[in-house]
């Protein structure tokens, strides 16, 4: 792994496997009575979240604490950014404090790539615009393989608002890198304008895809998409692309239902579907901590012996 | 007659043809052409082409309002270094060039600049697309091109009225005609987009500006030009579709003209892959197919002029996230070299697209772009078409350095520029 984690493409198939393999260790650590190891003692991580995020930030925060890293939060809402400080000045200020890693989320695609040019710290992309959310993809891969074994040869349907989804972009790259077949399912208006070069199939017919799917990965459907005339109504969206109990009935017995959260029960997923055993959203969140521990360790813990046993 | 200035040993290329001759200048006018001419000052032009001065139909000089990015003085210096003896200044200043007072201010600031700065003016008040600007009053001050550049006139009826009104301004211009120049983009299709909509925008997760946003407005304005008989000039064509529309409109005899920028025939949307806003521009960089179409349009004459859309921005502004940074890139000092390097055009045609054709569109062909002949105003460019050099934004005269060609090796460089009889660039050094 290099010094940064910005996209699944940059991480590559070998990098993904390295993270997933190490994540098992941290699942084990997380299950201990005192789930903490000193692997990153003395390292400082800064959270730079320009966009609200509760779950991703808490997950990173938990991962860092379990590795004994120090963390600081650059709270964008109440800081110099509100006073008009530029992104570059903010990054250089944080870097000057001697942080080892900046974990950034930003509403604009590409911001982590710019930040990387302005700091010596490691940069982790915790979500940039519509573009990438690599740790989400890694925890999704981990969760699927935990339940179903290797992704190689599996069929994953990613359903819904692909166009505006950084989760979808990262997951297409990650699932296919590990050998899965991916079908994007949604109305044309919610697909990216061009899928040239995307290693996946496209369908507008969820019912036709469900029977052969090993995983149905649902994306969050946002209300504002209706204002942009991308779908006529939430009702019509649910009719075409919502995961109903009826559609669950067409799934193979082993097939999983996934969602990156937060869910809109009753829109992209029927309330009762979200509570099924095959709906693994809680596993995703739980694994997210272990996977992020693995990422932090690989980026920042080089040279530090990982105390796997007896800590 | 004793000449102030002699350009010696060059190969003259103008609309009348090519010949090897010296050119003598006195009091702002060409006073002699022939062999072995003498004068107070000699500009050596060995191995160089001597042509009518270049005219840029499209430059943002940022003054008044954004003097931290560029001023008329620094922009004109860059223009002179690029071989331009005249540039048409776009009206999206702050305040906007939509009143006589602002036009007068620009003309005042342009006095003594390194090239002639020709103000264009807005079609609508504040470029807001709602009310016509005082076009007759502005035309009286010498404005010959009107544009809301930065945005297109969205309202169909208002655009039709503007064309009708502008075609009756002869009483205010001593009979000269004026041209409405359109930034072709239907906002409802491209609003919220920051790069060309296509494979790259889809991969990068950047909202797109689709090609049809440009095509549709070109289509509409062709219909309006046909209906009104007024002259329409299409700015910075960037799509294969719009080039083809203009080609057909010209074939049907309509009085439309068009320009293309250097970046739209040298760069594609793939350049945005690193999210560096230096490659963010409006209209956006498009695909290989579009680049090929723009080149073909320039070569077959569908596109009349090579323009720069020189758009300086401070480093601070260009370090914003891609979607927040302002669009635009430098162009004045690299235009000639990019045209020579990238376009498969014989020299006379290439110079036509940089000199006399844009001069006619701008309505300044009484003093720019004319033949190199006795009695003509001395606005001349001397360039070495073979010199190889490496582009650097820092080295440019502009106050900004948002140059998208950093490190690119190109061929062809301006050696001397003579504006109104004065050598404003000598051996690549600007003199004022």
């Amino acid at each position: 792994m290099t010094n940064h984690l910005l996209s699944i493409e940059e991480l590559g198939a070998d990098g993904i496997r390295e993270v997933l393999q190490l994540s098992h260790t941290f699942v084990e650590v997380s299950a201990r009575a005192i789930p903490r190891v000193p692997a990153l003692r003395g390292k400082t991580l800064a959270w730079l979240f320009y966009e609200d995020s509760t779950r991703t930030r808490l997950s990173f925060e938990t991962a860092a604490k379990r590795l004994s890293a120090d963390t600081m939060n650059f709270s964008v809402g109440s800081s110099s950014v509100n006073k008009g400080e530029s992104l570059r000045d903010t990054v250089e200020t944080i870097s000057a404090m001697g942080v080892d890693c900046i974990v950034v989320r930003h509403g604009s695609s590409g911001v982590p790539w710019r930040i990387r040019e302005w700091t010596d710290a490691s940069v982790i992309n915790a979500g940039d615009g519509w573009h990438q959310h690599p740790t989400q993809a890694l925890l999704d891969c981990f969760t699927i393989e935990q339940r179903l074994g290797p992704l190689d040869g599996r069929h994953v349907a990613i359903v819904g608002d692909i166009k505006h989804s950084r989760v979808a972009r990262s997951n297409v790259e990650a699932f296919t890198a590990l050998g899965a077949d991916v079908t994007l399912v949604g109305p044309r208006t919610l697909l990216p304008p061009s899928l040239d070069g995307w290693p996946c199939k496209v369908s507008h017919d969820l019912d036709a895809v469900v029977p052969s799917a090993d995983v149905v990965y649902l994306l969050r459907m946002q209300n504002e998409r209706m204002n942009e005339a991308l779908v006529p109504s939430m009702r019509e969206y649910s009719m075409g692309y919502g995961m109903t109990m009826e559609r669950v009935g067409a799934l193979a017995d082993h097939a999983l239902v996934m969602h990156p959260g937060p869910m809109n029960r009753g829109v992209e997923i029927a309330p009762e579907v979200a509570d099924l055993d095959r709906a693994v959203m809680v596993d995703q969140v739980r694994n997210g901590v272990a996977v992020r521990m693995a990422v932090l360790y690989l980026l920042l813990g080089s040279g530090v012996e990982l105390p796997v046993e007896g800590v | 007659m004793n000449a102030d200035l002699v350009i010696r040993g060059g190969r003259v290329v103008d609309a009348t043809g090519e010949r090897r001759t010296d050119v003598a200048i006195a009091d702002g006018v060409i006073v002699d052409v022939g062999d072995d001419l003498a004068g107070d000052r000699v500009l050596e032009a060995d191995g160089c082409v001597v042509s009518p001065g270049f005219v840029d139909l499209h430059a943002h000089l940022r003054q008044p309002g954004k003097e931290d990015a560029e001023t008329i003085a620094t922009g004109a210096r860059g223009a002179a270094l690029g071989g331009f003896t005249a540039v048409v200044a776009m009206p999206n200043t702050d305040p906007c060039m939509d009143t006589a007072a602002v036009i007068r201010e620009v003309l005042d600031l342009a006095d003594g600049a390194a090239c002639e700065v020709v103000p264009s003016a807005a079609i609508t008040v504040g470029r807001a697309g709602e009310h016509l600007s005082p076009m007759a009053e502005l035309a009286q001050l010498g404005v010959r091109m009107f544009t809301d550049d930065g945005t297109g006139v969205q309202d169909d009826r208002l655009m039709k009225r503007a064309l009708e009104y502008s075609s009756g301004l002869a009483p205010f211009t001593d009979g000269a005609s004026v041209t409405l120049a359109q930034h072709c983009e239907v906002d409802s299709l491209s609003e919220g987009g920051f790069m060309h909509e296509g494979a790259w925008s889809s991969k990068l997760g950047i909202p797109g500006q689709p090609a049809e946003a440009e095509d549709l407005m070109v289509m509409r304005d062709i219909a309006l030009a046909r209906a009104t008989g007024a002259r329409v000039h299409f700015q910075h064509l960037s799509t294969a579709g719009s080039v083809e529309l203009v080609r057909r409109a010209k074939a049907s005899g309509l009085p439309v003209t068009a320009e293309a920028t250097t970046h739209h025939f040298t760069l594609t949307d793939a350049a945005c892959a690193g999210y560096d806003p230096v490659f963010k521009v409006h209209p956006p960089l498009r695909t290989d197919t579009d680049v090929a179409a723009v080149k073909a349009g320039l070569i077959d004459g569908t596109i009349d002029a090579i323009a720069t859309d020189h758009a300086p921005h401070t480093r601070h502004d260009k370090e914003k996230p891609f979607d927040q940074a302002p669009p635009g890139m430098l162009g004045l000092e690299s235009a000639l070299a990019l045209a020579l390097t990238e376009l498969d055009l014989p020299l006379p045609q290439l110079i036509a697209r940089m000199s006399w054709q844009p001069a006619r569109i701008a309505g300044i062909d009484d003093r720019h772009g004319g033949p190199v002949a006795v009695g003509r105003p001395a606005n001349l460019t001397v360039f070495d078409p073979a010199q190889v050099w490496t582009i650097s934004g820092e080295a440019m005269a502009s106050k900004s350095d948002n140059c998208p060609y950093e490190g690119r090796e190109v061929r062809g460089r301006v050696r001397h520029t003579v504006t109104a009889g004065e050598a404003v660039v000598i051996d690549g050094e600007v003199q004022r």
Side-chain angles (χ1 to χ4, degrees):
Chain A
M1 205 157 164
T2 59
N3 290 326
H4 310 283
L5 175 60
L6 300 196
S7 71
I8 293 295
E9 190 178 36
E10 285 187 15
L11 183 61
D14 291 345
I16 298 170
R17 288 198 189 92
E18 191 181 9
V19 173
L20 298 186
Q21 197 175 358
L22 187 60
S23 298
H24 288 288
T25 305
F26 290 112
V27 167
E28 185 269 314
V29 169
S30 294
R32 293 178 193 174
I34 300 170
R36 183 182 283 248
V37 291
L40 297 189
R41 196 147 58 193
K43 299 286 185 183
T44 305
L45 282 64
W47 316 127
L48 183 57
F49 277 59
Y50 284 85
E51 219 182 48
D52 286 342
S53 155
T54 308
R55 48 186 63 221
T56 302
R57 224 200 55 170
L58 282 179
S59 181
F60 267 112
E61 183 97 41
T62 307
K65 291 218 158 85
R66 288 182 182 172
L67 293 168
S68 307
D70 297 319
T71 65
M72 61 185 204
N73 183 33
F74 195 91
S75 169
V76 170
S78 59
S79 72
S80 43
V81 173
N82 258 358
K83 298 169 190 160
E85 185 174 63
S86 75
L87 180 64
R88 181 171 184 160
D89 287 340
T90 301
V91 168
E92 288 180 348
T93 299
I94 295 174
S95 302
M97 295 171 190
V99 305
D100 300 288
C101 178
I102 296 174
V103 179
V104 61
R105 167 167 291 192
H106 201 291
S108 302
S109 297
V111 161
W113 278 260
R114 304 296 288 159
I115 289 179
R116 178 167 64 178
E117 293 172 27
W118 299 328
T119 182
D120 294 328
S122 289
V123 178
I124 296 177
N125 182 1
D128 66 316
W130 303 350
H131 182 221
Q132 284 283 315
H133 193 353
T135 57
Q136 177 73 43
L138 290 167
L139 73 88
D140 289 334
C141 290
F142 187 84
T143 303
I144 295 170
E145 297 205 329
Q146 195 179 42
R147 285 274 189 142
L148 302 181
L151 262 160
D152 190 24
R154 295 291 186 179
H155 180 205
V156 184
I158 302 178
V159 185
D161 185 2
I162 319 285
K163 178 177 180 176
H164 304 94
S165 175
R166 53 190 170 221
V167 173
R169 282 181 178 77
S170 285
N171 268 337
V172 166
E173 291 173 8
F175 295 158
T176 55
L178 296 181
D181 296 319
V182 174
T183 305
L184 304 178
V185 187
R188 177 83 183 270
T189 47
L190 294 179
L191 295 174
S194 165
L195 289 166
D196 274 4
W198 291 46
C200 47
K201 294 205 257 319
V202 178
S203 171
H204 307 306
D205 186 352
L206 181 56
D207 291 308
V209 173
V210 160
S212 67
D214 297 299
V215 177
V216 175
Y217 195 103
L218 305 167
L219 297 170
R220 180 176 166 78
M221 182 62 195
Q222 293 179 10
N223 266 316
E224 54 260 41
R225 303 300 170 224
M226 281 185 304
N227 306 334
E228 299 163 30
L230 295 171
V231 288
S233 69
M234 284 301 192
R235 185 172 159 272
E236 183 155 317
Y237 177 80
S238 302
M239 189 181 79
Y241 303 100
M243 200 62 193
T244 57
M245 280 305 282
E246 197 181 10
R247 288 186 171 121
V248 168
L251 280 172
D253 288 345
H254 67 274
L256 307 178
V257 174
M258 300 177 75
H259 195 297
M263 286 184 284
N264 288 315
R265 286 182 186 244
V267 181
E268 67 267 9
I269 186 165
E272 52 275 28
V273 173
D275 298 325
L276 295 173
D277 185 51
R278 67 165 84 229
V280 294
M281 281 70 91
V282 174
D283 292 15
Q284 290 173 269
V285 175
R286 184 184 302 118
N287 291 331
V289 176
V291 167
R292 290 183 173 109
M293 288 171 79
V295 166
L296 292 174
Y297 179 78
L298 286 169
L299 286 178
L300 303 168
S302 59
V304 183
E305 193 68 24
L306 182 63
V308 177
E309 308 295 336
V311 177
Chain B
M1 176 166 188
N2 189 37
D4 306 333
L5 198 59
V6 166
I7 301 170
R8 182 182 290 162
R11 172 176 143 220
V12 169
V13 180
D14 63 16
T16 67
E18 288 189 47
R19 58 224 169 264
R20 190 163 299 277
T21 179
D22 296 351
V23 181
I25 295 155
D27 294 328
V29 174
I30 297 170
V31 291
D32 201 358
V33 288
D35 292 337
D36 303 321
L37 301 182
D40 296 346
R41 173 155 216 169
V42 174
L43 301 178
E44 291 297 344
D46 243 16
C48 290
V49 172
V50 180
S51 83
F54 302 154
V55 173
D56 185 11
L57 286 173
H58 200 133
H60 298 272
L61 303 183
R62 302 291 183 224
Q63 198 175 14
K66 278 292 261 179
E67 289 83 354
D68 53 343
E70 195 78 289
T71 63
I72 285 173
T74 57
R77 243 174 248 148
L81 285 165
F84 295 96
T85 56
V87 299
V88 178
M90 289 296 106
N92 63 335
T93 47
D94 183 17
C96 171
M97 285 150 66
D98 62 357
T99 58
V102 182
I103 296 293
R104 282 197 196 96
E105 184 189 354
V106 169
L107 289 169
D108 280 352
L109 289 164
D111 192 31
C115 72
E116 183 174 346
V117 174
V118 183
S120 62
I123 296 172
T124 68
V125 174
R127 299 169 45 251
E130 289 168 3
H131 306 286
L132 291 185
S133 69
M135 292 173 114
E137 187 186 12
L138 299 169
Q140 262 177 339
L141 292 173
V143 173
R144 295 292 176 266
M145 178 177 275
F146 291 86
T147 173
D148 277 2
D149 182 54
T151 183
V153 177
Q154 302 296 312
D155 187 276
D156 306 335
R157 190 172 71 156
L158 185 64
M159 189 60 200
K160 185 176 177 188
R161 296 284 180 265
L163 286 165
E164 288 170 342
Y165 190 74
S166 71
S167 54
L169 293 180
F172 307 95
T173 61
D174 296 327
S177 57
V178 306
T179 298
L180 296 201
Q182 188 77 282
H183 170 122
C184 292
E185 184 173 38
V186 173
D187 283 351
S188 68
L189 283 171
S190 66
E191 237 164 23
F194 308 106
M195 67 177 289
H196 172 67
E197 181 176 288
W200 275 104
S201 73
S202 297
K203 177 176 167 59
L204 297 172
I206 293 178
Q209 299 160 293
E212 62 270 21
E214 175 168 316
D215 301 351
L216 278 175
M217 192 169 280
V218 170
M219 209 179 277
R220 180 200 72 177
D221 284 356
I222 287 169
L224 293 178
R226 184 170 284 126
T228 61
R231 283 168 49 152
V232 178
H233 174 70
F234 295 111
Q235 297 177 301
H236 43 47
L237 291 187
S238 69
T239 70
S242 65
V243 173
E244 181 56 26
L245 286 162
V246 172
R247 183 174 287 124
R248 282 192 237 149
K250 284 188 158 188
S252 75
L254 283 179
V256 297
T257 54
E259 72 190 30
T261 70
T262 41
H263 47 270
H264 286 122
F265 65 79
T266 54
L267 295 168
T268 68
D269 57 347
C272 301
Y275 294 97
D276 184 346
V278 84
F279 298 104
K280 180 180 176 182
V281 66
H282 204 184
L285 302 177
R286 300 203 189 263
T287 66
D288 288 323
T289 308
D290 298 300
V291 165
V294 169
K295 281 186 177 179
L298 277 163
I299 288 167
D300 74 11
T302 299
I303 301 170
D304 306 87
I306 295 167
T308 69
D309 200 357
H310 179 80
H313 290 291
T314 61
R315 192 173 291 190
H316 167 82
D317 271 339
K318 277 294 192 185
E319 281 178 348
K320 290 177 178 168
F322 196 92
D323 54 359
Q324 293 166 29
M329 42 183 65
L330 301 188
L332 285 167
E333 291 179 59
S334 48
L336 170 71
L338 290 162
L340 282 167
T341 310
E342 301 289 340
L343 288 178
D344 189 16
L345 261 180
L347 262 181
Q349 277 100 306
L350 188 141
I351 298 168
R353 284 145 186 74
M354 294 197 69
S355 179
W356 53 91
Q357 290 180 180
R360 273 181 221 140
I361 294 165
I364 55 171
D365 48 331
D366 56 333
R367 53 199 189 276
H368 293 275
V372 181
V374 174
R376 297 287 310 184
N379 290 305
L380 300 166
T381 302
V382 181
F383 63 93
D384 178 348
Q387 189 184 334
V388 173
W389 58 291
T390 303
I391 298 178
S392 154
E394 291 253 5
M396 290 179 175
S398 174
K399 285 187 90 168
S400 300
D401 58 6
N402 53 312
C403 167
Y405 304 108
E406 204 59 48
R408 189 190 276 228
E409 196 171 270
V410 287
R411 179 174 58 79
R413 192 156 204 186
V414 171
R415 185 165 174 193
H416 316 297
T417 307
V418 176
T419 298
E422 303 277 338
V424 291
V425 173
I426 299 174
D427 286 322
E429 299 289 331
V430 70
Q431 306 293 309
R432 55 166 91 153

